[in-house]
Amino acid sequence: MSEAKHNGRAGKIVVLDGATLDPGDNPWTDVAALGTLVVHERTSPEAVVERARGAAIILTNKTLITADALNALPELRMIAVLATGTNVVDLEAAAARGIVVCNVPEYSTESVAQHVFALLLEVTNAVGAHAMAVAEGAWSRSADFSFWLRTTTELAGKTFGIVGHGRIGCRVGEIASAFGMRILAHSPSRSRPGSYRGFAWASVEQIFEQADIVSLHCPLTDDNERFVDASLLRRMRSGSILINTARGGLIDEAALARALASGRPAAAALDVLSAEPPPSDHPLLSAPACWITPHMAWSTLAARQRLMRETAQNVRAFLDGTPRNVVVGPARGNDRRGS
């Protein structure tokens, strides 16, 4: 835990889980200027109330803020979520208490879109496996000037399916189009049509039936939890690839493990799982043709720096009576409790 005392208007500001946002390369300077800042690297559920007691503002990334916790924190006026998703906060309870909840909606768009294609290219080109083979002497022992461990895949001309065509999904579609792929996208609102070449709307079923690559970019809700189930997976084409950089709970993971064992889809590339970190017996850890990265798509230094700057601006705007990026509470400057 670190503590920096300032004469800011916020009073006490508590960060419950600052380790991922600042592992040592992304200091809290801008937030610390706004009050008395206390940063905890991690906080267990049992310690939330004790650590947040007396705080006017708390910052959380993945630490849950329950209704019971909110009711035990009478001085709390604002929760700044260090992420886009706000499912870690009981929003109904926050609203009932008049607590403003803000998030940071756009900080990771470029980084997550980049990671989608890092995953895809690893599956299609096996760069890591080939580099390791060369390091182990396989090329030196080769009889030919060129060799490959398995057939690689050209992306141009493929169909790329996007489920969830918001900011990140749209950016992913732009990049896929630049690779020469046709894009099928699904969004319930259809409020953000693609302006890039090869774009078309489609249903979820059409995407899973027609796309060579399916990439998930939708929020996790009660209505779509585990919607990628056995029946939907059976619709996927031979040789298809499933990518998930959204939320692990969108997929029935046991069903995906069985589907990968049967060869359809041919591969999965995932940055998220339903349990993070996963238990050692998670079915996808031993599934064939399954690439998993540890929920890192959002975490480039540039993205974390944007997240830090935007969070500081969220706190400053709240203190000025003009809250921004509001999920719960007044949309504009009609609440000056933080002044």
Side-chain angles (χ1 to χ4, degrees):
M1 179 185 75
S2 62
E3 182 169 343
K5 294 185 178 181
H6 299 268
N7 293 319
R9 292 168 293 164
K12 186 177 181 181
I13 303 172
V14 174
V15 182
L16 293 174
D17 50 3
T20 51
L21 184 54
D22 175 28
D25 58 0
N26 190 28
W28 296 91
T29 307
D30 290 348
V31 178
L34 302 172
T36 300
L37 180 67
V38 180
V39 180
H40 299 279
E41 290 189 353
R42 298 168 188 83
T43 297
S44 67
E46 298 77 19
V48 167
V49 172
E50 176 187 350
R51 290 184 170 182
R53 187 173 286 118
I57 297 172
I58 58 178
L59 279 59
T60 181
N61 187 327
K62 293 293 183 288
T63 301
L64 295 178
I65 310 298
T66 65
D68 288 343
L70 292 173
N71 290 333
L73 299 170
E75 297 179 48
L76 184 63
R77 303 195 301 274
M78 179 197 184
I79 300 171
V81 180
L82 301 167
T84 300
T86 55
N87 58 306
V88 297
V89 179
D90 188 320
L91 298 179
E92 184 176 344
R97 280 277 318 280
I99 296 169
V100 173
V101 180
C102 300
N103 69 342
V104 183
E106 297 188 43
Y107 74 96
S108 66
T109 299
E110 296 295 335
S111 294
V112 174
Q114 176 179 313
H115 197 77
V116 168
F117 289 91
L119 289 170
L120 177 57
L121 292 170
E122 181 59 31
V123 175
T124 60
N125 289 60
V127 172
H130 284 91
M132 183 175 293
V134 171
E136 292 173 349
W139 197 10
S140 298
R141 296 189 298 269
S142 175
D144 301 308
F145 78 96
S146 172
F147 82 97
W148 48 91
L149 300 173
R150 60 174 174 80
T151 301
T152 55
T153 302
E154 184 174 270
L155 293 176
K158 300 291 186 185
T159 298
F160 194 104
I162 301 172
V163 181
H165 202 254
R167 295 180 185 92
I168 296 174
C170 187
R171 184 67 180 122
V172 167
E174 291 172 351
I175 299 170
S177 177
F179 271 98
M181 288 186 273
R182 170 188 177 226
I183 316 301
L184 296 178
H186 174 78
S187 171
S189 67
R190 298 195 172 187
S191 60
R192 193 187 292 266
S195 58
Y196 47 84
R197 181 184 59 188
F199 172 85
W201 291 117
S203 69
V204 170
E205 292 76 14
Q206 287 172 325
I207 287 173
F208 274 77
E209 289 170 354
Q210 298 176 28
D212 299 291
I213 301 113
V214 176
S215 191
L216 306 183
H217 297 286
C218 45
L220 176 62
T221 68
D222 291 339
D223 293 333
N224 69 8
E225 186 173 9
R226 300 175 71 183
F227 83 96
V228 182
D229 56 14
S231 62
L232 197 55
L233 290 166
R234 281 195 294 269
R235 293 175 180 263
M236 297 189 76
R237 303 177 65 177
S238 176
S240 60
I241 300 167
L242 176 64
I243 300 173
N244 187 12
T245 56
R247 289 292 182 266
L250 296 169
I251 297 175
D252 181 334
E253 293 167 327
L256 176 57
R258 292 191 297 270
L260 288 167
S262 73
R264 185 173 299 191
L270 315 170
D271 186 54
V272 288
L273 295 173
S274 59
E276 296 173 347
S280 59
D281 61 349
H282 191 288
L284 289 173
L285 295 181
S286 57
C290 188
W291 285 257
I292 301 174
T293 54
H295 201 146
M296 59 179 289
W298 68 281
S299 68
T300 64
L301 178 58
R304 287 185 289 110
Q305 287 174 333
R306 281 192 294 271
L307 178 52
M308 187 70 80
R309 288 194 300 269
E310 286 293 309
T311 296
Q313 290 179 31
N314 283 350
V315 173
R316 186 178 295 109
F318 171 77
L319 295 174
D320 289 341
T322 57
R324 64 198 288 273
N325 294 325
V326 173
V327 179
V328 166
R332 295 190 62 81
N334 57 352
D335 184 342
R336 302 190 61 82
R337 291 172 296 164
S339 298

